[in-house]
């Protein structure tokens, strides 16, 4: 299956995520690698079955910051995004959409607790959208009802913001941005057409995958269209 890797938001360790397939079952798993060795065992992020396929995993880091965006250094955070495709008899997806890998866009954050000197104290623990363990909810978050080719990146050294982007059923590019504590920077996901307001950006038909990176102070999204990149 697919695999992804990213450094934790505090720059201490890194997370490796991958898809496992066994017969008609699928799973998304995570392993955290500390300063010199793995910390804890394999963490199951999501589990599929004959009626649900989990796939297209993507990973980035996040960290906790104070009001001035100064890293607090309490956690080494990881964003894990994936697609969950309903293949059951009652699915609302068409066969063509299932074959294209469309499904629900999911996000789960994990926090690795750090000591006062920045050493990992244990394995990753599920955290909510706020990035904190034991907050309002530590369950996975649904970002969109239908999408494919999800990607994620983080601006770990300045603001701690994170972005998750994907393509919808019409090949339009969408994105959600979050602050380090999970507050949405946009009030709604919008199709990206080159503007700066992610709430209302029109449509940009992509002919391939969308890619995203952080340049240290902002995010850069790129995708191919019929007229070029």
């Amino acid at each position: 299956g697919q695999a992804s890797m990213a450094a934790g938001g505090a720059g201490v360790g890194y997370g490796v995520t991958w898809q496992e397939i066994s017969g008609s079952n699928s799973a998304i798993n995570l392993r955290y690698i500390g300063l010199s060795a793995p910390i804890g065992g394999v963490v199951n992020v999501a589990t599929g079955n004959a009626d649900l396929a989990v796939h297209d995993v993507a990973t980035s880091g996040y960290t906790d910051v104070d009001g001035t965006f100064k890293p607090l250094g309490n956690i080494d955070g990881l964003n894990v995004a994936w697609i969950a495709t309903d293949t059951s008899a009652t699915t609302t997806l068409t066969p063509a959409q299932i074959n294209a890998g469309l499904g629900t866009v999911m996000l789960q954050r994990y926090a690795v607790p750090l000591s006062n000197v920045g050493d990992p104290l244990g394995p990753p623990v599920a955290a909510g959208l706020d990035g904190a363990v034991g907050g309002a909810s530590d369950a996975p978050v649904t970002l969109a009802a239908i999408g494919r080719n999800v990607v994620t990146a983080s601006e770990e050294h300045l603001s701690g913001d994170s972005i998750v982007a994907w393509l919808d059923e019409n090949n339009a590019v969408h994105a959600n941005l979050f602050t380090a504590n999970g507050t949405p920077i946009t009030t709604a996901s919008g199709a990206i057409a080159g503007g700066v307001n992610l709430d209302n950006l029109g449509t940009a038909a992509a002919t391939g995958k969308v890619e995203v990176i952080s340049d240290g102070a902002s995010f850069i999204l790129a995708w191919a269209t019929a007229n070029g990149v």
Side-chain angles (χ1 to χ4, degrees):
Q2 306 103 351
S4 176
M5 181 174 71
V12 176
Y14 59 93
V16 180
T17 56
W18 67 93
Q19 178 204 41
E20 285 191 6
I21 299 175
S22 176
S24 60
N25 297 321
S26 56
I28 301 295
N29 292 325
L30 163 69
R31 192 79 189 270
Y32 180 76
I33 313 299
L35 299 173
S36 60
I39 306 294
V42 174
V43 177
N44 177 247
V45 177
T47 300
N49 52 49
D51 294 327
L52 180 69
V54 292
H55 54 96
D56 283 11
V57 61
T59 312
S60 64
Y62 76 91
T63 190
D64 50 348
V65 297
D66 64 14
T68 64
F69 305 115
K70 179 181 178 181
L72 296 174
N74 295 322
I75 60 171
D76 203 20
L78 294 164
N79 299 308
V80 182
W82 71 94
I83 304 295
T85 299
D86 180 6
T87 60
S88 69
T90 59
T91 183
T92 58
L93 299 173
T94 67
Q97 289 174 331
I98 292 174
N99 290 335
L102 286 158
T104 306
V105 182
M106 305 296 298
L107 173 66
Q108 175 72 71
R109 295 184 123 181
Y110 286 89
V112 176
L114 302 177
S115 70
N116 292 335
V117 295
D119 293 331
L121 295 175
V125 180
L129 191 57
D130 60 4
V133 178
S137 173
D138 293 335
V141 177
T142 299
L143 299 185
I146 185 168
R148 65 177 178 89
N149 297 119
V150 65
V151 293
T152 180
S154 298
E155 198 299 287
E156 302 163 7
H157 304 295
L158 184 60
S159 63
D161 297 341
S162 297
I163 185 172
V164 182
W166 64 91
L167 302 178
D168 70 11
E169 69 272 28
N170 298 312
N171 294 324
V173 182
H174 292 257
N176 275 170
L177 285 89
F178 306 96
T179 63
N181 67 2
T183 301
I185 297 176
T186 59
T187 57
S189 173
I192 296 173
V196 295
N197 179 3
L198 288 178
D199 288 342
N200 184 16
L201 288 178
T203 301
T207 58
K209 294 181 179 181
V210 60
E211 301 289 350
V212 61
I213 63 170
S214 169
D215 65 1
S218 59
F219 297 108
I220 301 170
L221 281 164
W223 63 93
T225 70
N227 299 317
V229 177

